[in-house]
Each structure stands twice: as C-alpha cells, then as structure tokens.
C-alpha cells in the first residue's frame, strides 16, 4: 500500500496520523492508511456512478459494489494466501479415477438425468493473444467451424439423440457481448436454447495511487482500457444477479457443467453426470472438479490439495516463492485443474445468498498502451470449491483437456490427429500412441492470419512426436511430419518446405528454397 494515498491533507487526518504514530506504531499507522484509501476509492466510485445513464444505473451500482467488496478484501489480505505447512495431499477417496465412475455404466433413464443439466461456457475472452479482433469463441478452428459452432453442434446432438432439452448459457464480458449476440441469430433454428448473461465490469486501478483509472462509466475513447472483466470467479455473483439462475432452477435444472469455451475436450460426459445425480453412497456432491495428470507442459496449472480439512485449489500465484519449484514438481502434485466443473445450482443460490463463497484474490498487473501500470483484481471459478459441501475431484483422461490458447494448439486441432463428429473432436484411431505431439511455433506464427498464410495445407501429423519451428518458414501442400522435426530459419533467411515433402526426425536450418521447375 502506498504510504501517501491521494487526498491525505486535512488537519483532522494529520492528527489521526500523529495519534496512530504515538500508539503502537506501524500496524495502527497502516490501518489508518487503509481506511483513508478505502474512503478515497469509495468517493471515486461514487463519482463514476453519477455518470451512469438511468437505464444502466442499477447494473453499474451492482458492479461497483462488487468491486468495493473485492477491493476491501484486497487491502485486508497479506502475502501469499496459503500457509505452505498446512498443504497436504488430498485423501485417496477425494479424487476418484474416471474409470471407476465410468464402470458404473448408465441408467435407463439417462434422458431424465440430462434434462436436469445446463451447459455453461465461459465466453468473456478476446482473441487478442492470437492476433484476432472480437470474441475468441468466433475464431475458426475446424472446417470453418468456430468454438461456438462446435459447442452448439455438440449440445444439439445430445438433445436430438436423447430427446432432451439441455440449454447452453454463455457468460459474456462487456468485450464479447455485442459480437456474440449478433452471431447467435444464426442458431435460431438449432435444437438448443441459448441464454447469455454478462460478467461484471470492474475499474482497473493505478498501481501507485491504488485509485480507479476510470473517470466515468463509458468504455470507449480514452476510457477503453479503464475497465476489465474480473476473471471467471465472477460467475457466481453475476449468474445470480442476472436472474437466470432462478429461472433455470424454476425449470427444474439442478447442475451446471462449466468450462472454458476454448477447451475443445470439455464435452458433456454422461458418466460424470450420472455419478452426480445418482451418487453410489446416496450423498450428492455440490461441486466436482475434473483434474488430469500433469505433464511437463502443465507445471503451472492449479492443483487440488487438502487444506484445513477441505479440498482446495492452489494456484501458482498463491505459492510462497520458496516453494514454487516444489509446487511445479510432477511427482509431488501429480494433477492439475482442467477448469471443467460440475456445480449444484441450489448450492450456488444458497451460498450466494449467505455471501459465503470464498475465493482468493488474484492480483493481475498490466501496463496500458500509454505506459501506465495498473492492477486488476480477479478471482477464479474453481477456487470456490472449498465453500461447497461434499466436493470431489475426478481424474479424467487427458482428452478432456484440449485448450486452444495459441496457434501451436490450433495446428494440433486442425490436423488429422483429430476427427470431428457432431461437434466433438476425438483422437484419430490411426495414431499409434495416445499422447499429443509437443508443438512449438515461433513468433512468425503467433497471429492467426500469419499462421494460416504459412501453411498451404495442414501437414500430416499422425506420426509426429515433436515439432519446433522458428523464423520465416512456410509449408507447401501435403507435407508429412514424423518423429522429431526441428526447422529453424535464421534471421534474414527463409525456409520453404516444398509440397509433398516428408520430414522424419529431421533438423532443417539455414536458408532453403526448393522451387518446382
């Protein structure tokens, strides 16, 4: 906390200060500073609220109240939020192997079980990291289909196959809402009811003064960067506040299956749903987190631990620096959170009304285009696991975690490693080993349009183990990659892989241009 927050001036404030200093020193002093800072922020937020148009007033007030609560907690909490000494491995039965869940089979009435389900996709993200404008869910991933197309196809297939009414709910952010709603019109004839609600809009705060950057409620012009969506942990409050939670409970829905829209492996799993609705011991879980085994690529993923007698998600940001290597160890923490979550709607309503959902604050530092350093306070949806009763982890196959965060991931899902059926991607039977190749594409491939320009067609990757590409490299049609392939074009050089080339356990470097005559 800065020692001189904005607005420390009046005589009474000075005397408060000297009183605090003369009492037991630092902690009292810090407390006065904290209260001053909260007061300053409160005043700033009230100013911002006065600029809200009448039709947005209530909504804006809810957002700013939510932000104030989060900011208050941020000022109270100190250092990493976990005591490393209390972290234990979860008890054996608290993380069940998927095979055991699947072995129970499915009941005859699976349709009536499905009718209790709602699919929720987290759709707040933009495609900026892949060089795209607009919602990430509208990027084409397979045969012109976007993430959203594939999601709708999956649920429509379920509804047709089992004659059910599983709705799709999209949690949008103020960044994605307008573009998403425009595109939803094209699904009006699909057999899927689609609902949307918006997550909150919070003000970014100046890293130095800890005061909001925004001066009014608008988010255009110079205010564009003043606001942010506060992470997917916001789902509980904004789902509840939107009224949609009550509507769905009124329709007899009991569970939501929540996942990131860019995780193409997160399809509705009937075995997990059956385990939730018909638990073997008769006691229902309120929260199920799908976890999967870590590989070297996943060492930063949040892990499930036992903490003070409860299952708890621990993220790398919460780990004291001295223990980060231990946290990353694949032998001590063998699993990580896929962010595929199954949550009881009634429990969300109960906890929200009791104000009892507890999630650690993630402090995310950013630098705005003008160079200003800000922080944004966020929470993660999975962190609430400790607030729910009878929580469970299920160790699922890796195939349920297929996120597309980069063009390297995009190359995998566009390739012949996967076949597409009713919106779902499954690993090709022609691949001899079930692991996914490790693909690292260099900075020339970061943006989707550059990536697409560099592949005349997606290479055959069925027998690929590892691909690294760096520099100015292009691929002709019908290239085949096998084993370990490393292609490095040095600065100023260019490598064109000719059409029909077969590269098996090859290192290609330097300057290569093979032209057909």
């Amino acid at each position: 906390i800065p020692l001189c927050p904005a607005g420390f001036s009046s005589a009474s404030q000075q005397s408060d200060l000297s009183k605090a200093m003369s009492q037991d020193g630092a902690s009292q002093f810090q407390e006065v500073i904290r209260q001053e800072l909260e007061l300053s922020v409160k005043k700033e937020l009230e100013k911002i609220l006065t600029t809200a148009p009448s039709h947005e007033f209530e909504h804006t007030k809810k957002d700013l109240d939510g932000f104030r609560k989060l900011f208050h907690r941020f000022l109270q909490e100190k250092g990493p939020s976990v005591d490393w000494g209390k972290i234990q491995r979860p008890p054996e039965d608290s993380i069940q192997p998927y095979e055991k869940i699947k072995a129970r089979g499915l009941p005859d009435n699976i349709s009536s079980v499905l009718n209790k389900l709602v699919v929720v996709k987290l759709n707040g993200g933009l495609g900026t990291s892949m060089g795209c404008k607009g919602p990430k869910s509208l990027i084409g991933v397979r045969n012109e289909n976007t993430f959203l197309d594939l999601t709708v196809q999956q649920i429509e297939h379920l509804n047709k196959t089992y004659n059910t009414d599983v709705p799709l709910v999209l949690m949008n952010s103020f960044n994605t809402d307008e573009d998403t709603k425009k595109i939803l019109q094209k699904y009006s004839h699909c057999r899927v009811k689609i609902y949307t609600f918006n997550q909150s809009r919070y003000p970014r705060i100046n890293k130095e003064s800890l005061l909001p950057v925004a001066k009014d409620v608008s988010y255009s012009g110079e205010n564009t960067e003043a606001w942010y969506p506060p992470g997917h942990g916001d789902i509980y409050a904004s789902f509840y506040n939107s009224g949609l939670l009550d509507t769905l409970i009124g329709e007899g829905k009991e569970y939501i299956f929540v996942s990131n829209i860019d995780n193409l492996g997160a399809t509705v799993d009937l075995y997990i749903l059956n385990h939730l609705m018909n638990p073997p011991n008769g006691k229902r879980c309120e929260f199920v987190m799908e976890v999967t085994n870590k590989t070297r690529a996943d060492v930063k993923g949040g892990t499930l631990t036992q903490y003070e007698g409860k299952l708890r998600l621990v993220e790398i940001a919460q780990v004291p620096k001295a223990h980060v290597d231990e946290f990353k160890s694949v032998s001590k923490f063998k699993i990580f959170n896929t962010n595929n979550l199954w949550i009881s709607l009634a429990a969300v309503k109960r906890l929200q009304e009791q104000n009892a959902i507890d999630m650690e604050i993630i402090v995310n530092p950013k630098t705005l285009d003008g160079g200003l350093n800000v922080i944004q306070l966020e929470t993660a949806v999975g962190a609430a696991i400790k607030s729910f009763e009878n929580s469970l982890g299920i160790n699922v196959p890796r195939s349920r975690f297929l996120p597309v965060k980069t063009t390297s991931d995009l190359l995998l899902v566009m390739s012949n490693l996967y076949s597409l059926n009713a919106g779902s991607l499954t690993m090709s039977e022609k691949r001899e080993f079930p692991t996914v190749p490790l693909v690292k594409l260099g900075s020339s491939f970061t943006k989707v349009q550059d990536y697409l320009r560099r592949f005349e067609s997606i290479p055959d990757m069925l027998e690929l183990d590892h691909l690294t590409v760096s520099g100015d490299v292009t691929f002709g049609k019908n290239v085949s990659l096998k084993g370990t392939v490393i292609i490095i074009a040095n600065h100023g050089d260019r490598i064109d892989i000719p059409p029909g080339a077969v590269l098996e356990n090859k290192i290609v470097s330097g300057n290569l241009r093979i032209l057909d005559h």
Side-chain angles (χ1 to χ4, degrees):
I1 295 172
L3 286 182
C4 255
F8 233 142
S9 54
S10 71
S12 66
Q13 289 171 338
Q14 297 287 349
S15 72
D16 281 354
L17 253 183
S18 51
K19 249 185 252 167
M21 293 294 278
S22 62
Q23 288 161 354
D24 60 358
S27 63
Q28 292 253 355
F29 178 56
Q30 284 288 8
E31 186 50 41
V32 173
I33 299 248
R34 239 197 321 265
Q35 287 171 7
E36 284 298 332
L37 191 53
E38 284 213 49
L39 201 61
S40 301
V41 166
K42 182 175 178 236
K43 284 179 183 161
E44 290 293 315
L45 296 178
E46 282 167 358
K47 273 190 223 160
I48 292 171
L49 186 58
T50 61
T51 69
S54 55
H55 66 281
E56 280 179 23
F57 185 85
E58 278 310 311
H59 191 77
T60 306
K61 188 174 184 311
K62 272 183 183 164
D63 279 357
L64 295 180
D65 285 348
F67 173 76
R68 251 184 70 198
K69 281 184 196 157
L70 194 61
F71 187 74
H72 173 77
R73 280 183 45 216
F74 162 68
L75 292 183
Q76 299 298 326
E77 291 171 10
K78 298 222 175 43
S81 47
V82 290
D83 174 349
W84 193 254
K86 291 184 181 175
I87 286 183
Q88 298 168 306
R89 279 196 183 160
E92 281 302 305
D93 61 345
S94 67
I95 298 182
Q96 298 272 345
Y98 177 75
E99 291 65 38
K100 188 176 167 188
I101 305 276
K102 192 174 179 179
R104 293 183 60 206
L106 293 175
D108 296 338
N109 68 337
I110 194 66
S111 295
S112 64
V113 173
L114 257 175
N115 271 327
K116 309 274 190 206
L117 181 71
V118 177
V119 175
V120 180
K121 292 286 181 183
L122 303 171
N123 184 44
L126 293 167
T128 42
S129 62
M130 291 162 77
C132 292
K133 287 187 166 64
K136 185 172 184 183
S137 55
L138 307 184
I139 294 175
V141 274
R142 186 81 192 215
N143 313 348
E144 306 294 309
N145 287 301
T146 65
F147 291 103
L148 188 54
D149 292 335
L150 296 177
T151 302
V152 172
Q153 287 167 27
Q154 288 164 20
I155 301 174
E156 184 172 45
H157 178 67
L158 260 185
N159 284 337
K160 284 179 172 169
T161 306
Y162 296 99
N163 192 24
T164 50
D165 179 24
V166 177
L168 169 64
V169 173
L170 299 171
M171 178 166 91
N172 297 337
S173 68
F174 64 91
N175 290 319
T176 61
D177 188 52
E178 205 176 310
D179 290 343
T180 302
K181 280 183 174 159
K182 276 183 202 153
I183 222 88
L184 288 182
Q185 293 162 1
K186 78 176 199 182
Y187 306 116
S188 54
H189 302 297
C190 292
R191 192 171 157 176
V192 182
K193 274 191 201 146
I194 304 178
Y195 302 93
T196 67
F197 69 94
N198 266 14
Q199 67 185 113
S200 308
R201 182 166 77 98
Y202 284 179
R204 285 178 165 148
I205 48 184
N206 183 317
K207 195 178 174 188
E208 297 304 316
S209 68
L210 292 186
L211 294 178
V213 178
K215 294 293 169 251
D216 58 55
V217 293
S218 70
Y219 45 98
S220 55
E222 57 187 38
N223 241 2
T224 313
E225 292 188 299
W227 301 91
Y228 73 98
H232 41 54
D234 185 55
I235 184 172
Y236 305 105
S238 48
F239 196 13
Y240 177 83
N241 289 338
S242 72
L244 190 53
L245 180 74
D246 281 338
T247 303
L248 292 166
I249 289 174
E251 288 175 8
K253 305 298 182 190
E254 294 182 23
Y255 278 94
I256 47 174
F257 171 48
V258 180
S259 62
N260 297 351
I261 199 152
D262 64 8
N263 177 8
L264 294 176
T267 55
V268 171
D269 186 282
L270 298 178
Y271 299 101
I272 296 177
L273 180 62
N274 180 48
H275 186 83
L276 281 171
M277 299 292 292
N278 304 306
N281 62 359
K283 192 176 174 205
R284 279 196 179 182
C285 296
E286 289 187 345
F287 195 110
V288 163
M289 176 181 286
E290 293 185 35
V291 295
T292 194
N293 292 341
K294 269 187 187 179
T295 65
R296 299 268 170 230
D298 312 306
V299 291
K300 291 182 178 174
T303 192
L304 264 191
T305 60
Q306 172 92 343
Y307 192 88
E308 296 178 339
K310 286 257 192 180
L311 273 186
R312 175 154 175 172
L313 178 67
V314 176
E315 302 278 1
I316 195 161
Q318 294 161 248
V319 178
K321 284 209 168 47
H323 297 282
V324 165
D325 286 344
E326 196 182 335
F327 174 83
K328 287 180 172 180
S329 138
V330 179
S331 52
K332 179 160 184 180
F333 298 107
K334 294 185 164 66
I335 51 150
F336 72 97
N337 165 31
T338 62
N339 222 35
N340 299 349
L341 309 167
W342 304 74
I343 309 171
S344 153
L345 282 167
V348 172
K349 182 177 165 70
R350 180 190 80 234
L351 291 169
Q352 195 56 41
E353 287 176 348
Q354 295 169 352
N355 198 19
I357 295 181
D358 178 23
M359 295 171 283
E360 290 75 31
I361 294 174
I362 300 158
V363 179
N364 191 351
K366 297 264 179 189
T367 303
L368 303 187
D369 286 348
L372 181 69
N373 289 325
V374 296
I375 53 177
Q376 49 192 53
L377 306 178
E378 302 175 7
T379 55
V381 55
I385 188 169
K386 62 180 183 291
S387 303
F388 288 81
E389 294 299 315
N390 202 24
S391 301
L392 180 69
I394 297 181
N395 191 343
V396 296
R398 181 73 188 199
S399 56
R400 291 192 57 72
F401 184 67
L402 189 58
V404 180
K405 301 290 182 198
T406 62
T407 50
S408 303
D409 300 331
L410 195 56
L411 182 63
L412 290 169
V413 299
M414 288 176 112
S415 76
N416 60 345
L417 286 165
Y418 293 96
S419 48
L420 181 65
N421 182 17
S424 298
L425 290 182
T426 44
M427 178 77 76
S428 166
E429 289 172 2
K430 293 179 186 161
R431 180 150 173 97
E432 286 179 13
F433 17 82
T435 56
V436 178
L438 197 59
V439 172
K440 293 178 184 168
L441 298 178
S443 55
S444 307
F445 291 81
T446 303
K447 294 184 171 175
V448 173
Q449 54 269 43
D450 294 342
Y451 153 88
L452 291 170
R453 209 181 63 238
R454 291 178 177 279
F455 289 99
E456 273 195 58
S457 69
I458 302 296
D460 171 346
M461 291 165 46
L462 279 174
E463 294 176 46
L464 180 69
D465 300 320
H466 179 122
L467 172 68
T468 295
V469 183
S470 174
D472 185 0
V473 178
T474 60
F475 291 79
K477 275 202 165 110
N478 305 325
V479 171
S480 188
L481 305 171
K482 302 179 179 191
T484 296
V485 178
I486 298 172
I487 305 168
I488 296 173
N490 297 323
H491 186 68
D493 290 344
R494 176 170 156 188
I495 295 178
D496 294 329
I497 305 297
V502 177
L503 302 181
E504 184 166 5
N505 296 326
K506 277 259 190 307
I507 296 179
V508 181
S509 68
N511 197 351
L512 173 74
R513 198 166 303 182
I514 302 175
L515 301 171
D516 292 338
H517 290 293

